[in-house]
Amino acid sequence: MISALDVPLDLSQPPTITQQSPKDYIVDPRENIVIQCEAKGKPPPSFSWTRNGTHFDIDKDAQVTMKPNSGTLVINIMNGGKAEAYEGVYQCTARNERGAAISNNIVIRPSRSPLWTKEKLEPHQVREGDSLVLHCRPPVGLPPPIIFWMDNAFQRLHQSERVSQGLNGDLYFSNVQPEDTREDYICYARFNHTQTIQQKQPISVKVFSMDSLNDTIAANLSDTDIYGAKPVTEKQPTLLTPTGSTSTKVELRGNVLLLECIAAGLPTPGIHWIKEGGELPANRTFFENFKKTLKIIDVSEADSGNYKCIARNILGSVHHVISVTVKAAPYWITAPRNLVLSPGEDGTLICRANGNPKPNISWLANGVPIAIAPEDPSRKVDGDTIIFSHVQERSSAVYQCNASNEYGYLLANAFVNVLAEPPRILTPANKLYQVIADSPALLDCAYFGSPKPEIEWFKGVKGSILRGNEYVFHDNGTLEIPVAQKDSTGTYTCVARNELGKIQNEVQLEVKDPTMIIKQPEYKVIQRYGQVSFECIIKHDSTLLPTVIWLKDNDELPDDERFLVGKDNLTIMNVTDKDDGTYTCIVNTTLDSVSASAVLTVVARPNPPFDLELTGQLERSVELSWIPGDENNSPITNFVIEYEDGLHEPGVWHYQTEVPGTQTTVQLKLSPYVNYSFRVIAVNEIGRSQPSEPSEQYLTKSANPDENPSNVQGIGSEPDNLVITWEPLKGFQSNGPGLQYKVSWRQKDVDDEWTSVIVANVSKYIVSGTPTFVPYEIKVQALNDLGYAPEPSEVIGHSGEDLPMVAPGNVQVHVINSTLAKVHWDPVPLKTVRGHLQGYKVYYWKVQSLSRRSRRHVEKKILTFRGNKTFGMLPGLEPYSSYKLNVRVVNGKGEGPASPDKVFKTPEGVPSSPSFLKITNPTLDSLTLEWGSPTHPNGVLTSYVLKFQPINNTHELGPLVEIRIPANESSLILKNLNYSTRYKFYFNAQTSVGSGSQITEEAVTIMDEAMASRQVDIATQGWFIGLMCAVALLILILLIVCFIRRNKGGKYPVKEKEDAHADPEIQPMKEDDGTFGEYRLFSFVSSAPF
């Protein structure tokens, strides 16, 4: 007996239905109707149809055709047919000489999208805070339409916990607000089959607000009376749907269970769901529509029970219990399977199904109820089982099992095919299987034969039969090696035999190294607009070609040029919030696939807080609360609260306080007579959010000033006045209208009474007729229409300053060196300063240079020494010069008179370098030098020093020669030099102090003409030319030999070559090698610098 094996199509077999249309088939009435019915069999089956239980003769209907070699019907609607005319129940029969198979009952119904019935819609007028339901009531369509609400601009209406659409399509308002007033609430119904959208007439809603009434009340009450007043009445929750306290719901097994609760109330109630006596099923429970809808997928009988929804706000709660019963259409426990029997064999067909209620089981043979089908002595029906004994070829047939209850039915075809066939192996010979090491290997040996053949496996050409726990032998002939290793590679032989014969087949197995990700992508945190890279470095079998793909959140990467996929990495440029997610690197070969994932967290400044609310308003405090905005993956560390004073500084925001990021309420201290508005800024590690929208305004009552002006000062602007200044109070510090200041003063250390004046809201008052620079006691007190601020503290000020009266005396100068001197002076008496002593100024200037009698423009320099200092250093002086200086005292008014000029001189210093050095008239053995005296001799020149030395062609320096030249000379002829030699010269001037900086030059003596002629003659001789050609040929041969040796692995003597061509800079100098002239001549001609 063979069960559930495919019979090769070259052997006789009953029909098998391979494709059919769904049981409930809704068709588009504008398109042709195609009812599928495909089947296989040997010989090929013929097809027939019934419609509504009777034979459907397609030959008599010109609009109906059957596809060739198929049972599929095509009903031509597009050429005049009407879909409604073909509505009904269809069933297909496929028949050949061995039996008949039947399809399901296929119910054909054309889709319908009727128009909305016209109705007169009255405007809805509701009070603020009341609930409201806008009914949609769409036309009944097939299938039911999808409902949504939009406005005249085709924009979907915003939905929230307060406003949402129910499962029936109605729009529910838990409580209405003034912003709900509009005239274009439009319900749309979309019919997907016909791709049409129908719309209901617009519904108008008018919400009556209490604001106007509150304004009238407020005009007759004080501010305190209306603070905290609630404009609308808060309401306990009530259920809008479902109604009552209990309801029932029946759902079928495997479907989606949807339960709904929508409540009215103010504040808007929250919804909570529980299952009485149990838990909501994990992984199958979802909440939708702001938790108003409970969704449980793939329900089973265990999900039956009581489900309670609870609606709650601050005033109370209400609940509703929904009793859910899960029924079940029939479902298979054991569906009947095809039987292939050889003559004389026994077998069974089993059909077992379950459901709620339990389904009835009935059998048919070749589409006919088995009770009236032709009798077969080998067949016996026992409830859900048919037993076959000693079958013969005439026992071949197709049997149908039907399991049905009130919620549906199942229909299954299973044939009995009686054949006598020797074994055959259907798997291709020498088929190659490739697997990854340490993974299962499945080697197929698809077979057929009747009676059912026995299958054996061997490894290798002469291997023994495979047995043991390391192998698994499947009923369909497949050999499984659960953990294939490298040594599992080889040839495997499958042998199939029954009483009618024997056959074998070989297959090949190759085991490959697994693909691995050796460098996986890692978790990254990146700021918005930054750049991030994920690595994915792999190792794989050399015979496999891997492909690497990247996914974002298990989907393709966005089609965005910011995403750059490299060989081993993924780079995202200019990262945005939408890039946040999980990135997966997947490596695929033909045999295996590995992946690694990493999360990218995009952080940014938080979104601004919203819904600011003021509560608990008092004269000097108020409570502010808010709802935080999105923290954008970086926790909020703190909130900054700012305020605006709309009465005194509208549009200007000031810092008030800040609180931790876990806090969303704060008690704020307030000042009197301020029209407050508040806003909140969220802060995280990335930065500050945009400010929230301002809160409502709150005006505090007036009061006496709490504080006095700050930064009170008394400073005279003239010798006979006192200017009193202060920093005025800010608007919110005034505490009330009519802000003024009481300014008081009296001379310190004199027994005088206070003199006071009251001035307007200014910041300065000038007292005239005061003595010069005397101390005063000063105070400034704030007052407004309600009274004075507390008594202010006193400050000390001074009347105006005048210029100092005397100059510093006993000015002395000590010259430290040629560029630095120290000056001393005696301080002036403080009474003569007539103001605040700020310091002393030293004026100094160069009179003349002692080495040159010419005078020049006098440029005075000034050094300031702060405070009561009596000495200072004068840097940057010129050597061998005459200077003058004087000293003056400085106060806030200006400078006093100058001390008498003091003359001092600086000693000699070293000179600057000569102004130039020129080398002219080169001959074979001489050079002429000319120079200019130093620009700054800094003393009396005593001499010049000339040093020179030759330079050979390897840049080595020869012996150094030094010559001392009188100071009055300006030129020199050097003789007895080597011909064609480069010389380097060092030249500087000297005073009695020492040598100045030097300048350098280089020059070359000329070449001997006879030697140059001999060199040219040698170069033109034939023997010399032949010698050069021979050397060139030898070098070429040497290069060829080296190339051959290198290719054969020989070593080229690099070290020897390097030693032979060492850096000439480190070679010892050869004084008599005769190379100076030749090298320098070449350098001179080429103008090469040295």
Side-chain angles (χ1 to χ4, degrees):
M1 177 182 71
I2 299 178
S3 176
L5 286 185
D6 284 339
V7 180
L9 282 175
D10 62 335
L11 298 178
S12 296
Q13 59 185 287
T16 300
I17 301 288
T18 58
Q19 192 172 3
Q20 57 183 314
S21 292
K23 294 178 180 178
D24 191 7
Y25 189 15
I26 300 174
V27 298
D28 190 333
R30 302 166 299 181
E31 297 180 355
N32 291 342
I33 301 173
V34 178
I35 311 176
Q36 291 183 328
C37 180
E38 304 291 340
K40 65 178 182 179
K42 180 73 174 186
S46 61
F47 297 89
S48 62
W49 285 86
T50 62
R51 177 183 173 190
N52 297 328
T54 61
H55 175 67
F56 182 36
D57 191 347
I58 62 175
D59 294 332
K60 293 183 178 181
D61 192 332
Q63 303 294 335
V64 182
T65 58
M66 186 183 294
K67 289 185 177 180
N69 303 316
S70 167
T72 297
L73 295 182
V74 179
I75 302 174
N76 197 330
I77 300 300
M78 301 178 70
N79 285 337
K82 291 188 177 297
E84 293 79 2
Y86 294 93
E87 191 169 353
V89 180
Y90 293 77
Q91 188 172 45
C92 169
T93 301
R95 186 185 308 275
N96 68 8
E97 63 189 28
R98 289 198 164 233
I102 61 175
S103 71
N104 291 321
N105 287 325
I106 302 170
V107 180
I108 301 295
R109 295 185 295 168
S111 64
R112 291 187 292 273
S113 53
L115 296 176
W116 231 296
T117 56
K118 289 189 176 181
E119 55 182 326
K120 185 177 181 180
L121 301 176
E122 296 294 335
H124 292 266
Q125 298 184 351
V126 289
R127 290 187 308 171
E128 181 181 356
D130 288 353
S131 61
L132 175 65
V133 180
L134 300 183
H135 297 290
C136 180
R137 299 190 183 100
V140 178
L142 186 66
I146 297 173
I147 305 300
F148 52 94
W149 289 79
M150 294 198 297
D151 58 18
N152 274 334
F154 296 102
Q155 298 298 313
R156 285 187 180 266
L157 297 177
H158 175 70
Q159 298 192 25
S160 63
E161 286 187 346
R162 186 177 63 84
V163 183
S164 62
Q165 178 182 316
L167 294 176
N168 63 354
D170 292 347
L171 191 63
Y172 292 86
F173 295 76
S174 295
N175 54 80
V176 295
Q177 301 296 325
E179 60 264 27
D180 297 328
T181 297
R182 62 191 306 156
E183 296 180 351
D184 57 349
Y185 287 94
I186 305 174
C187 181
Y188 288 84
R190 184 174 68 221
F191 298 90
N192 282 343
H193 262 70
T194 58
Q195 296 297 308
T196 58
I197 296 178
Q198 308 285 356
Q199 78 172 64
K200 189 182 182 79
Q201 291 183 344
I203 302 174
S204 174
V205 173
K206 171 68 175 177
V207 179
F208 290 102
S209 171
M210 299 297 291
D211 287 348
S212 58
L213 179 58
N214 284 343
D215 290 343
T216 302
I217 297 173
N220 295 282
L221 296 175
S222 67
D223 291 343
T224 304
D225 292 334
I226 64 171
Y227 290 152
K230 299 177 181 178
V232 293
T233 302
E234 295 180 337
K235 298 178 176 63
Q236 289 187 356
T238 58
L239 285 176
L240 297 174
T241 184
T243 58
S245 59
T246 61
S247 59
T248 59
K249 173 82 172 182
V250 175
E251 191 55 79
L252 292 182
R253 180 179 187 271
N255 286 356
V256 176
L257 173 65
L258 292 174
L259 305 178
E260 179 181 58
C261 274
I262 301 178
L266 184 68
T268 302
I271 303 296
H272 178 64
W273 291 90
I274 61 172
K275 183 181 182 183
E276 293 183 342
E279 298 291 332
L280 295 174
N283 303 323
R284 294 189 293 115
T285 300
F286 303 91
F287 298 100
E288 297 179 345
N289 197 21
F290 309 98
K291 287 195 172 183
K292 300 174 188 178
T293 301
L294 171 65
K295 176 180 178 181
I296 301 177
I297 62 174
D298 192 23
V299 295
S300 65
E301 289 85 344
D303 295 320
S304 296
N306 293 332
Y307 292 81
K308 179 188 286 187
C309 70
I310 304 166
R312 178 180 286 111
N313 68 8
I314 59 176
L315 300 182
S317 66
V318 65
H319 68 268
H320 183 93
V321 177
I322 306 173
S323 179
V324 174
T325 303
V326 178
K327 297 290 187 179
Y331 55 92
W332 290 118
I333 296 175
T334 304
R337 304 200 299 179
N338 294 335
L339 282 179
V340 178
L341 303 174
S342 61
E345 276 193 311
D346 302 336
T348 58
L349 288 178
I350 300 174
C351 176
R352 289 178 184 155
N354 203 355
N356 186 8
K358 188 172 182 62
N360 295 318
I361 303 294
S362 60
W363 288 96
L364 298 88
N366 296 324
V368 177
I370 202 164
I372 60 174
E375 288 192 11
D376 182 350
S378 65
R379 178 182 71 208
K380 178 183 177 183
V381 178
D382 184 9
D384 58 9
T385 304
I386 301 179
I387 303 170
F388 297 92
S389 304
H390 303 289
V391 296
Q392 301 301 319
E393 186 172 353
R394 66 176 180 273
S395 300
S396 296
V398 183
Y399 291 87
Q400 290 83 34
C401 172
N402 185 300
S404 61
N405 66 12
E406 60 186 280
Y407 297 108
Y409 74 93
L410 294 173
L411 177 69
N413 291 275
F415 65 63
V416 176
N417 195 18
V418 182
L419 293 172
E421 286 291 325
R424 61 171 70 183
I425 295 178
L426 307 177
T427 300
N430 291 313
K431 184 175 180 179
L432 175 63
Y433 292 90
Q434 295 178 324
V435 298
I436 296 297
D438 297 325
S439 63
L442 297 172
L443 309 182
D444 291 334
C445 183
Y447 66 91
F448 185 79
S450 186
K452 180 181 179 180
E454 294 181 358
I455 303 298
E456 293 176 326
W457 280 95
F458 302 84
K459 183 178 181 184
V461 178
K462 297 181 180 180
S464 59
I465 188 169
L466 297 180
R467 292 187 178 88
N469 295 331
E470 57 185 306
Y471 302 103
V472 177
F473 302 94
H474 293 273
D475 289 342
N476 62 358
T478 296
L479 168 66
E480 178 181 351
I481 307 174
V483 183
Q485 302 295 333
K486 280 287 193 177
D487 59 5
S488 302
T489 298
T491 301
Y492 291 79
T493 303
C494 163
V495 177
R497 59 166 59 88
N498 68 8
E499 61 189 38
L500 301 178
K502 167 187 170 184
I503 192 170
Q504 71 180 39
N505 185 40
E506 292 181 353
V507 295
Q508 309 296 324
L509 174 63
E510 291 181 358
V511 181
K512 306 287 187 179
D513 290 326
T515 305
M516 295 184 292
I517 299 177
I518 58 177
K519 177 66 174 176
Q520 298 187 355
E522 298 176 346
Y523 172 73
K524 296 291 179 70
V525 176
I526 189 70
Q527 286 192 32
R528 188 185 293 165
Y529 309 126
Q531 175 180 325
V532 67
S533 291
F534 292 106
E535 286 188 294
C536 185
I537 300 176
I538 64 173
K539 179 182 177 183
H540 60 91
D541 191 287
S542 59
T543 63
L544 299 177
L545 182 63
T547 59
V548 180
I549 61 174
W550 287 87
L551 302 179
K552 178 183 182 296
D553 296 330
N554 295 322
D555 204 351
E556 292 183 359
L557 290 178
D559 185 11
D560 192 327
E561 61 184 9
R562 297 181 300 108
F563 287 76
L564 306 177
V565 178
K567 177 184 177 183
D568 298 323
N569 59 53
L570 166 67
T571 301
I572 309 173
M573 314 286 290
N574 196 22
V575 172
T576 64
D577 290 341
K578 66 181 180 180
D579 300 329
D580 197 276
T582 301
Y583 289 83
T584 304
C585 164
I586 301 178
V587 185
N588 292 318
T589 68
T590 53
L591 298 182
D592 64 348
S593 177
V594 292
S595 65
S597 298
V599 173
L600 173 63
T601 300
V602 181
V603 295
R605 295 183 301 171
N607 291 350
F610 57 95
D611 280 358
L612 273 64
E613 183 178 6
L614 296 178
T615 56
Q617 293 95 334
L618 300 174
E619 288 188 5
R620 292 292 183 108
S621 69
V622 70
E623 185 174 87
L624 173 67
S625 61
W626 61 90
I627 298 176
D630 193 333
E631 62 185 19
N632 291 325
N633 296 324
S634 179
I636 294 174
T637 57
N638 57 294
F639 293 100
V640 176
I641 293 89
E642 297 180 338
Y643 72 91
E644 176 198 32
D645 181 0
L647 193 63
H648 303 98
E649 292 182 290
V652 180
W653 289 90
H654 302 275
Y655 174 86
Q656 171 90 6
T657 187
E658 58 185 88
V659 297
T662 56
Q663 189 173 327
T664 57
T665 61
V666 62
Q667 193 77 20
L668 300 175
K669 293 182 178 180
L670 306 180
S671 295
Y673 195 55
V674 177
N675 194 13
Y676 282 99
S677 289
F678 299 97
R679 69 183 187 185
V680 183
I681 299 169
V683 182
N684 63 12
E685 288 187 357
I686 311 305
R688 295 162 63 100
S689 73
Q690 292 293 319
S692 68
E693 291 296 321
S695 70
E696 60 183 300
Q697 291 187 330
Y698 177 53
L699 177 62
T700 55
K701 283 186 172 183
S702 302
N704 290 16
D706 292 324
E707 52 191 307
N708 288 301
S710 59
N711 198 24
V712 177
Q713 293 181 333
I715 302 174
S717 62
E718 298 294 338
D720 61 349
N721 75 6
L722 172 66
V723 180
I724 302 173
T725 61
W726 60 90
E727 187 173 324
L729 297 182
K730 293 186 165 120
F732 76 92
Q733 295 173 309
S734 66
N735 286 6
L739 177 63
Q740 299 180 89
Y741 300 101
K742 179 182 178 182
V743 183
S744 305
W745 68 92
R746 68 180 177 185
Q747 191 170 335
K748 190 174 183 298
D749 301 328
V750 177
D751 192 16
D752 281 351
E753 295 294 327
W754 287 95
T755 303
S756 301
V757 296
I758 293 179
V759 299
N761 187 11
V762 294
S763 60
K764 180 172 68 172
Y765 182 76
I766 300 176
V767 180
S768 301
T770 63
T772 301
F773 197 67
V774 296
Y776 279 86
E777 293 177 316
I778 303 166
K779 57 184 179 180
V780 180
Q781 185 178 24
L783 67 151
N784 62 18
D785 290 349
L786 280 78
Y788 284 88
E791 184 66 23
S793 58
E794 301 170 8
V795 299
I796 304 299
H798 286 80
S799 56
E801 299 180 69
D802 206 345
L803 294 176
M805 299 172 63
V806 298
N810 192 24
V811 177
Q812 300 292 329
V813 179
H814 172 60
V815 177
I816 297 175
N817 57 38
S818 61
T819 61
L820 180 66
K822 184 175 183 180
V823 58
H824 292 263
W825 62 87
D826 290 339
V828 300
L830 287 179
K831 288 185 179 181
T832 66
V833 176
R834 297 201 294 180
H836 296 286
L837 174 64
Q838 294 188 356
Y840 293 87
K841 285 187 178 180
V842 176
Y843 287 74
Y844 66 100
W845 61 96
K846 180 179 175 182
V847 178
Q848 67 178 20
S849 172
L850 298 179
S851 59
R852 294 175 181 164
R853 297 304 175 184
S854 59
R855 303 184 66 84
R856 61 175 184 174
H857 172 69
V858 176
E859 179 184 353
K860 290 188 177 181
K861 297 182 179 179
I862 305 172
L863 284 176
T864 301
F865 300 94
R866 299 290 178 186
N868 196 22
K869 200 170 184 182
T870 59
F871 67 91
M873 307 298 288
L874 305 181
L877 303 177
E878 294 185 13
Y880 206 50
S881 300
S882 176
Y883 280 86
K884 287 184 179 181
L885 65 75
N886 59 53
V887 184
R888 310 175 191 195
V889 67
V890 182
N891 67 10
K893 189 72 173 178
E895 300 175 4
S899 66
D901 290 348
K902 188 75 174 178
V903 178
F904 66 96
K905 297 178 181 179
T906 56
E908 287 188 80
V910 296
S912 64
S913 62
S915 57
F916 67 88
L917 174 63
K918 294 193 299 184
I919 304 174
T920 60
N921 301 327
T923 67
L924 285 173
D925 62 352
S926 68
L927 292 169
T928 300
L929 281 68
E930 297 178 355
W931 60 87
S933 59
T935 306
H936 301 287
N938 293 338
V940 178
L941 296 182
T942 59
S943 63
Y944 292 101
V945 176
L946 173 67
K947 298 178 183 179
F948 65 93
Q949 58 189 146
I951 307 173
N952 69 5
N953 57 357
T954 61
H955 299 279
E956 294 170 329
L957 300 174
L960 187 65
V961 179
E962 180 177 325
I963 300 174
R964 192 171 295 276
I965 305 167
N968 59 352
E969 296 289 341
S970 62
S971 66
L972 174 69
I973 298 176
L974 282 178
K975 297 182 179 181
N976 299 323
L977 303 175
N978 294 332
Y979 66 86
S980 187
T981 301
R982 178 174 291 275
Y983 288 88
K984 186 166 186 177
F985 298 90
Y986 313 89
F987 194 66
N988 63 281
Q990 289 187 331
T991 65
S992 60
V993 177
S995 298
S997 57
Q998 64 183 16
I999 59 174
T1000 62
E1001 275 294 344
E1002 293 184 12
V1004 181
T1005 56
I1006 66 174
M1007 178 183 287
D1008 179 60
E1009 295 181 0
M1011 179 177 289
S1013 174
R1014 285 200 305 273
Q1015 288 179 353
V1016 173
D1017 292 341
I1018 292 173
T1020 58
Q1021 295 300 312
W1023 65 269
F1024 182 76
I1025 295 173
L1027 178 61
M1028 293 299 101
C1029 291
V1031 170
L1033 180 60
L1034 184 60
I1035 292 173
L1036 179 61
I1037 293 171
L1038 180 60
L1039 290 173
I1040 293 173
V1041 171
C1042 291
F1043 178 73
I1044 293 172
R1045 290 187 63 193
R1046 189 180 187 89
N1047 287 345
K1048 290 183 177 181
K1051 296 183 178 178
Y1052 182 74
V1054 176
K1055 183 67 173 67
E1056 296 177 9
K1057 289 292 182 178
E1058 290 178 349
D1059 292 342
H1061 296 81
D1063 190 344
E1065 293 287 346
I1066 62 174
Q1067 296 296 315
M1069 178 179 173
K1070 298 179 182 178
E1071 296 184 9
D1072 300 324
D1073 61 0
T1075 59
F1076 279 109
E1078 181 181 350
Y1079 179 81
R1080 287 308 171 187
L1081 177 62
F1082 174 79
S1083 300
F1084 179 80
V1085 172
S1086 65
S1087 300
F1090 295 97

